[in-house]
Amino acid sequence: MAMVIDCHGHFTTAPKTLHAWRRKQLDTMNDPANAPHKTDLIITDDEIRAAVEAGQLKLQKERGGDLTLFSPIAGQMAHHLGNEQTSLVWAEVCNDLIHRVCHLFPYNFVGVCQLPQSPGAPPAHCIPELRRCVEELGFVGCNLNPDPSGGYWQDPPLTDRVWYPLYEEMVRLDVPAMVHVSSSCNPCFHGTGAHYINGDTTAFMQLLLADLFKDFPTLRFVIPHGGGAVPYHWGRYRGLSLETRQRPLEPLLDNVFFDTCVYHEPGIRFLTQVIPAANILFGSEMIGAVKGRDPNTGEYFDDTKRYLDACSHLSTEERHKIFEANTRRVYPRLDMLLKRRARVEATISV
Amino acid sequence: MAMVIDCHGHFTTAPKTLHAWRRKQLDTMNDPANAPHKTDLIITDDEIRAAVEAGQLKLQKERGGDLTLFSPIAGQMAHHLGNEQTSLVWAEVCNDLIHRVCHLFPYNFVGVCQLPQSPGAPPAHCIPELRRCVEELGFVGCNLNPDPSGGYWQDPPLTDRVWYPLYEEMVRLDVPAMVHVSSSCNPCFHGTGAHYINGDTTAFMQLLLADLFKDFPTLRFVIPHGGGAVPYHWGRYRGLSLETRQRPLEPLLDNVFFDTCVYHEPGIRFLTQVIPAANILFGSEMIGAVKGRDPNTGEYFDDTKRYLDACSHLSTEERHKIFEANTRRVYPRLDMLLKRRARVEATISV
């Protein structure tokens, strides 16, 4: 049966005790004796159920979704705060919490992990946590922050060799990364209104300029928020690729995908007319950047499935790609999980 | 008679002696005794004619344009290089050169000035050069760099009060600013592929969050490159405005305008369907970011008039707004100049 898989959801409704723990962690950054231990964070299963059932799960059902790739709150990754150790413990705490959500609602949520990045720290240091999340917790992808400095862009581009060990591990595990910045501590950049979109645009242009996918032919990136500014400026990027690299842009689409977090119907229609259906993954980032309803329609801005449903130019096959097949292809561990489940269910029903 | 006014052109074909002079200026930054004087830059009228006639003027005519708002090379403003004095002298040199182009081709080019911004320097220090360009050289607008640091975004947002004295002068002179970054010295950001587009998106979000136009009801900004990512994410910005400021986004369009530097037909069609025609100013930034031809069509990527011509949904009145009326309204000194000329011509023909 056809599924509707949302490739982009964060646990934005996490219980407040999580945020209190984080505050204490940051407050005691230079005072290890008083630092909170991971076990100091007490969140009951009932609290998790309440947070999800009143939030993402409710909306998932109301909107006709089946499953969401679920990761820690992007804006709270805040890799620029604290040091490498701070980021590691915080990533473990957040990923463990996602694991519990997925364990409680295995049919509705599958995990995507936060990485313990830190400004200036080698991305290779993220490998153990990535491995733990994928091999022990059953996660199917990761979120990769192209700017751990939080809006000052002081780490090397994503195509720098400093990232290669992490990419090698992603390839080995066969997991993609969603390229997703965190909050901005730069007063020039509003988080969800500027830094997020700029991060997407910036990452794409870095990929355009380099030969990363010659070195990693099976590495895959999802650029969220509809690809930032990229589809709107597709002609600019086609021209820049021809001019700066003497090659067409299109082969980049073997490795780069866009989600559908574009919060109005004309934008989604445009995206699906300019970018091949094979490169578009349904996503809503609900509950996230824009929580309200459009006063003109009474509907939620981030109900992106509604916009896709209204795109009459999409064929049944293209819809199937966008809502299910592409995400299963880009996240093969999700596909394996779903196939395994289908086999188990077939056995039970026999 | 209807005109086609391109609101966005830079003197990218300026003679090489200009660049040599600039290099010498930067090389002697800490060696004032050997610094080049402005009068050391020798460019003849014939050199200017050759540079323009083989470049922007040729393409303007070929593409059916009448007049271009012409400013110094955006990527060469490079406010992050040198110090405040460096930027001042460089702005004077570049603006004087634009003035000469406009003097040689008064019917084809009207000047827009570069400002002598410098990281951390009060924008008020730009007032004398703005005044000189407008009142003495007859320029009709300015380019305002929202990030004089060249990709590190270390100056305050455009809505900070530090910018207010400059805005007061813009209002007094009745000139708008095109918000245009310069080159990027941050290896994360490609100039025309990331920094330019990010600058547009960032500036718009700064304006969305603040009350700048309450303080300056007649201040006007043109956001170039089709508004960066903004029209594509119009639903996101509508939602963010309602959520963060409890007000609709649309009144911002009293003061904010977008050009048409979007280099493919679907993008231009989308822009003109989402943003009211009253807020769209024809622009091409030719010869600029993308110089080549689209191998699929054989046409120049930056021939944006062709894309607009193909937009059958635009009425004659909307086309008139986009190609002429809006630019005359946003740049009233241009309108005055054109009316004055028309009167003179009427007198002569009588």
Side-chain angles (χ1 to χ4, degrees), chain A residues 15 65 74 98 110 151 212 271 285 291 300 308:
Chain A
I98 293 297
V110 170
L212 184 61
L271 167 66
E285 202 171 12
K291 297 176 191 65
Y300 286 109
L308 282 162

Side-chain angles (χ1 to χ4, degrees), chain A residues 5 34 46 53-54 74 115 127 135 153 160 193 195 206 259 265 274 326 338-339:
Chain A
I5 304 173
N34 287 307
D46 280 348
E53 281 172 351
L115 294 174
I127 292 174
E135 296 189 331
W153 294 88
D160 190 280
H195 191 42
Q206 292 174 357
D259 80 6
E265 192 180 310
V274 168
N326 293 339
L338 294 174
K339 282 183 176 148

Side-chain angles (χ1 to χ4, degrees), chain B residues 124-181:
Chain B
H125 293 188
C126 297
I127 292 173
E129 178 62 5
L130 173 66
R131 201 175 282 169
R132 181 182 82 92
C133 289
V134 173
E135 297 189 332
E136 294 176 29
L137 308 186
F139 287 20
V140 300
C142 61
N143 291 336
L144 184 64
N145 184 349
D147 173 30
S149 77
Y152 288 99
W153 293 90
Q154 285 163 351
D155 283 66
L158 288 179
T159 48
D160 191 280
R161 288 192 168 259
V162 72
W163 297 93
Y164 274 33
L166 179 61
Y167 298 155
E168 281 165 20
E169 188 64 13
M170 284 169 56
V171 166
R172 189 188 76 78
L173 294 167
D174 205 10
V175 294
M178 179 173 279
V179 180
H180 203 308
V181 297

Side-chain angles (χ1 to χ4, degrees), chain A residues 146 151-157 186-190 192-202 205-206 209 225-240 242-244 250 259 261-264 266-271 273-274 285 288-296 301, chain B residues 146 151-157 186-190 192-202 205-206 209 225-240 242-244 250 259 261-264 266-271 273-274 285 288-296 301:
Chain A
Y152 287 99
W153 294 88
Q154 285 162 351
D155 285 65
N186 185 329
C188 285
F189 299 133
H190 182 268
T192 53
H195 191 42
Y196 275 32
I197 306 294
N198 293 350
D200 306 332
T201 309
T202 301
M205 189 63 201
Q206 292 174 357
L209 290 171
H225 321 110
V230 171
Y232 177 45
H233 288 284
W234 197 241
R236 172 175 288 254
Y237 292 103
R238 286 187 59 232
L240 284 171
L242 291 166
E243 201 168 312
T244 63
E250 289 73 9
D259 80 6
C261 294
V262 177
Y263 294 159
H264 60 150
I268 289 287
R269 198 182 313 125
F270 174 77
L271 167 66
Q273 283 168 341
V274 168
E285 202 171 12
V290 181
K291 297 176 191 65
R293 290 174 187 266
D294 184 342
N296 296 348
F301 280 109
Chain B
Y152 288 99
W153 293 90
Q154 285 163 351
D155 283 66
N186 184 330
C188 285
F189 300 133
H190 182 268
T192 53
H195 191 43
Y196 275 33
I197 306 293
N198 293 350
D200 306 332
T201 309
T202 300
M205 189 64 203
Q206 292 174 357
L209 290 171
H225 320 110
V230 171
Y232 178 45
H233 288 284
W234 197 242
R236 171 175 288 254
Y237 292 104
R238 286 187 57 232
L240 284 170
L242 291 166
E243 201 169 311
T244 63
E250 288 73 9
D259 80 7
C261 295
V262 177
Y263 294 157
H264 59 149
I268 288 287
R269 197 181 315 124
F270 174 79
L271 167 67
Q273 284 168 341
V274 168
E285 202 171 10
V290 181
K291 296 175 193 68
R293 291 176 186 263
D294 184 342
N296 297 347
F301 279 109

